[in-house]
Amino acid sequence: MTIEAEWWDYDDTDELADAVAGDVGFIIDSALDARGQALIALPGGTTPVAALDRLAAQKRRWKDVTIIPTDDRIVEVTSALSNVAMLAKKFLPLGARVIPLTGGAAAADYKMSGKAADARLADLPWPLDLVWLGMGADGHTASIFPGPDLDEALNGPKERRALGVMPDPMPVDAPVARVSLSKAAILAARTLTIVLTGADKRAVLERAIEDGASSTVPIGRVMADSDLAVDIHWAP
């Protein structure tokens, strides 16, 4: 299968943030107009912060918008590593509903954390209207990392929306287990957007797209089965 992707290149990260916030806002408003509610998955990390701030500044019926993280670290909600804490700080004051993937505490059994997340998501109005993905320099996306849980994340039952994952090797900047959306949940979305910066990451993603199903990095394996046209936003 050929991966259908459209690249949108920007001169700098400010231009990138403006464009992404505009696109995501349009997707949310389209869902609100069509169905009266919107369900979106947003990333953590530092790259999306400027665009998320711009998105949060937009006026809309935020009370009808439900937000989940694409993935999260299994940590206390007060931890600087918590993705849902960052999203909640930006969007809860607007009236949006922000649903955590984790129980808000470090867990001894990350697999059980994943099962709990899957159950927590079951009552939401699937499919997602948008999944906004980032990508690490190693080609991971959401928390679909190389490691013992990669095959389950990529090839597990289609009804499984979230799972616990243990990266291997463990990322130095956040050496903890994760909960991530599954490939099936990501690809069931109505729209899929990837946002990244830097020439090195662009090279990794271009190679992953070229390799498709034979890609050695997670994002290539995820995108290989996508029926969606993927918008890729990039700045140096």
Side-chain angles (χ1 to χ4, degrees):
M1 178 185 293
T2 300
I3 298 171
E4 187 178 347
E6 184 167 2
W7 287 83
W8 300 86
D9 295 348
Y10 306 97
D11 292 334
D12 54 43
T13 53
D14 280 342
E15 188 180 357
L16 169 75
D18 286 340
V20 172
D23 277 12
V24 172
F26 176 79
I27 291 165
I28 294 171
D29 291 341
S30 297
L32 292 174
D33 289 344
R35 290 174 290 280
Q37 59 186 342
L39 175 61
I40 62 173
L42 301 179
T46 56
T47 299
V49 167
L52 290 173
D53 286 341
R54 288 161 169 80
L55 181 66
Q58 298 171 3
K59 304 295 184 184
R60 65 174 46 85
R61 294 196 327 267
W62 284 107
K63 66 181 180 63
D64 294 321
V65 179
T66 300
I67 298 168
I68 63 172
T70 57
D71 61 301
D72 213 345
R73 292 80 175 247
I74 304 176
V75 293
E76 301 286 349
V77 73
T78 53
S79 170
L81 297 178
S82 172
N83 288 340
V84 77
M86 183 267 285
L87 294 172
K89 183 177 180 180
K90 294 181 187 302
F91 295 102
L92 278 181
L94 305 176
R97 185 182 180 203
V98 181
I99 306 295
L101 290 181
T102 71
D109 187 340
Y110 73 95
K111 292 280 195 179
M112 286 303 296
S113 292
K115 290 178 181 178
D118 197 47
R120 191 177 291 118
L121 298 179
D123 293 334
L124 297 179
W126 293 82
L128 290 154
D129 293 299
L130 166 72
V131 174
W132 168 354
L133 294 174
M135 189 197 77
D138 61 353
H140 82 266
T141 191
S143 277
I144 302 178
F145 277 92
D149 306 296
L150 177 61
D151 184 67
E152 184 180 2
L154 295 174
N155 302 312
K158 283 186 166 51
E159 61 271 15
R160 182 174 299 155
R161 297 183 174 118
L163 72 158
V165 293
M166 184 69 72
D168 184 19
M170 191 70 81
V172 174
D173 58 340
V176 293
R178 321 292 177 98
V179 172
S180 180
L181 293 180
S182 66
K183 183 183 81 169
I186 291 169
L187 296 187
R190 292 185 171 96
T191 50
L192 180 59
T193 293
I194 300 173
V195 181
L196 69 160
T197 59
D200 290 348
K201 286 188 179 182
R202 179 172 184 132
V204 170
L205 184 53
E206 286 178 335
R207 178 62 184 271
I209 291 171
E210 182 180 338
D211 290 347
S214 65
S215 176
T216 59
V217 297
I219 197 163
R221 301 280 300 282
V222 170
M223 291 180 67
D225 287 334
S226 177
D227 294 326
L228 298 168
V230 182
D231 282 325
I232 304 172
H233 299 270
W234 175 84

